[in-house]
Amino acid sequence: MRLRVLGIETSCDDTSLALFSRQRGVVGNLTANQLTHDKYGGVVPEIASREHIRNLLPVFEALLDRCDFTSKDIEGIGVSNGPGLIGSLLVGVSFAKALALALGVPIVGVHHLEAHILSNEIEGGELRTPCVVLVVSGGHTSLYHVDRVGCYQLVGNTRDDAAGECFDKVAKLLDLGFPGGPAIERVATNGDPQAVRFPRAMMVRGNLDFSFSGLKTAVRLHVESVSRLDEKIIADLAASAQEAIVDVLVEKTIACAKAQGVANVYLAGGVAANTPLRSRMASYSEQEGMDYHAPLLQYCTDNGAMVACAAARHLARGRDDGTSLDVFARGPIVSWS
Ligand code: KG4
Ligand code: ZN
């Protein structure tokens, strides 16, 4: 587990690379965000792939510079190989394979959602299992029962939009830019979360699935019904939509932990950076006698460190995917322990 691992993340629009070792933790983590998608209100896959091609080498070189490392110090490589945008993944995986061949080191493909789950280990020590993890990002809203690291059971999932996607779409309706989550959170601090009672879907006892498309439609209908969107109305709508999303995420996660009889609750993914979600999850868990954990803020949204951290576990088992490593657009986390 002492390996110095390079982690590469290019599954969507962030080009992020990190150097990590279990002994020293994150030695460096560097991300190039693709701000160019803002004007389209969402990620354009073709543009994302081309930006990754442009960004990868400069980010890699800058990372080595900052860490005072040379490429010869890298002992293994981990790369997100799915799920995600195929073009973006291909750029990252091709770069990783070329580097692994040139350096003569092993390479492993990392499932993007396992990387999010294990982002909790970057600074938090070993995952406390058994636990329930809510993975909540732009593409996923999933509840996993993790019996031990490497053993993942999907127990709840979104039936339509992901929570992050809902944040992004509500932000677009309110003209707040992309990505929407941080913008909604910022604007919502001046709003009243009780101003509009937006729907909380599928809050039926025993149902651990999610649905956010109705909430998005409810916000759209509300926006269309008001004559003018002033600052106060925007703040109230942002706060009310955020409240509805957080309510559902917290209720279902705690209900899931209770149903599974586990005492550890984890957050992961970009939406886990949301402060109201973190604080409500913390207080509700405490009330229920559960231990709550979340990644550091900088490791919630996509980052190379979580990929390196997850890869370190796979490499330590002697895994090497070699040049046969391929990408996939969607697919479950395959348990390995
Ligand atoms: O994990 P991530 O970086 O990429 C995916 O794997 O999808 O998550 C990105 C998502 C976006 O939808 C973004 O709006 C959301 O995470 N997000 C937030 C916050 N920061 C990022 N949502 C709510 N509050 C935030 N502070
Ligand atoms: Zn992600």
Side-chain angles (χ1 to χ4, degrees):
M1 297 285 257
R2 287 170 179 221
L3 283 178
R4 283 184 297 252
V5 180
L6 172 72
I8 301 173
E9 165 57 46
T10 64
S11 66
C12 191
D13 58 337
D14 295 319
T15 316
S16 186
L17 271 65
L19 283 163
F20 173 89
S21 80
R22 286 260 160 208
Q23 220 177 15
R24 288 180 57 192
V26 179
V27 185
N29 183 59
L30 204 55
T31 304
N33 301 115
Q34 302 183 2
L35 303 174
T36 163
H37 301 283
D38 191 10
K39 57 178 174 284
Y40 304 104
V43 177
V44 182
E46 179 62 26
I47 296 177
S49 314
R50 289 175 191 276
E51 288 287 303
H52 285 308
I53 293 173
R54 207 195 315 270
N55 292 339
L56 261 171
L57 205 50
V59 173
F60 176 60
E61 283 170 350
L63 177 72
L64 292 181
D65 261 7
R66 273 192 200 191
C67 301
D68 204 12
F69 265 44
T70 72
S71 52
K72 298 220 166 27
D73 295 312
I74 296 167
E75 295 166 291
I77 297 175
V79 57
S80 277
N81 67 324
L85 302 173
I86 281 296
S88 293
L89 290 163
L90 270 172
V91 175
V93 167
S94 306
F95 179 83
K97 279 189 197 172
L99 200 59
L101 267 177
L103 300 175
V105 298
I107 175 176
V108 291
V110 174
H111 192 289
H112 183 74
L113 298 189
E114 183 180 32
H116 272 305
I117 291 172
L118 295 180
S119 66
N120 279 289
E121 290 200 328
I122 296 175
E123 300 277 340
E126 294 226 341
L127 210 67
R128 294 185 202 170
T129 54
C131 62
V132 159
V133 188
L134 173 70
V135 183
V136 68
S137 68
H140 297 87
T141 303
S142 309
L143 278 166
Y144 286 92
H145 175 262
V146 182
D147 197 40
R148 57 191 178 278
V149 172
C151 184
Y152 310 99
Q153 190 194 354
L154 181 64
V155 288
N157 211 353
T158 185
R159 299 269 181 95
D160 40 54
D161 294 351
E165 195 178 350
C166 187
F167 269 109
D168 294 337
K169 286 177 175 168
V170 170
K172 196 171 178 182
L173 287 167
L174 300 178
D175 215 8
L176 295 175
F178 179 85
I184 295 270
E185 180 178 345
R186 197 171 49 249
V187 170
T189 53
N190 301 316
D192 173 7
Q194 313 303 333
V196 185
R197 174 84 192 167
F198 284 124
R200 276 83 168 147
M202 303 179 73
M203 296 297 272
V204 183
R205 210 183 148 85
N207 186 332
L208 296 176
D209 284 340
F210 303 86
S211 167
F212 291 105
S213 63
L215 171 55
K216 171 193 68 190
T217 307
V219 176
R220 183 174 56 76
L221 292 175
H222 199 93
V223 167
E224 286 167 6
S225 74
V226 294
S227 51
R228 203 174 73 85
L229 274 181
D230 62 23
E231 246 178 60
K232 171 80 179 108
I233 294 177
I234 291 176
D236 282 349
L237 290 178
S240 301
Q242 177 175 257
E243 183 79 356
I245 296 172
V246 169
D247 264 1
V248 175
L249 294 176
V250 173
E251 282 287 336
K252 296 229 174 205
T253 304
I254 300 298
C256 177
K258 275 189 187 167
Q260 304 279 329
V262 305
N264 285 292
V265 173
Y266 283 86
L267 280 179
V271 182
N274 185 267
T275 310
L277 173 62
R278 294 168 83 97
S279 55
R280 286 269 294 286
M281 198 70 92
S283 55
Y284 199 179
S285 306
E286 192 184 352
Q287 196 181 308
E288 295 295 328
M290 295 168 185
D291 286 328
Y292 152 81
H293 321 264
L296 290 184
L297 280 183
Q298 65 264 38
Y299 302 129
C300 289
T301 45
D302 289 349
N303 63 87
M306 67 182 191
V307 180
C309 179
R313 281 193 170 268
H314 290 282
L315 290 162
R317 296 187 295 127
R319 206 180 116 193
D320 180 4
D321 297 339
T323 48
S324 63
L325 178 62
D326 207 352
V327 298
F328 57 95
R330 28 177 80 233
I333 311 180
V334 177
S335 291
W336 48 267
S337 79

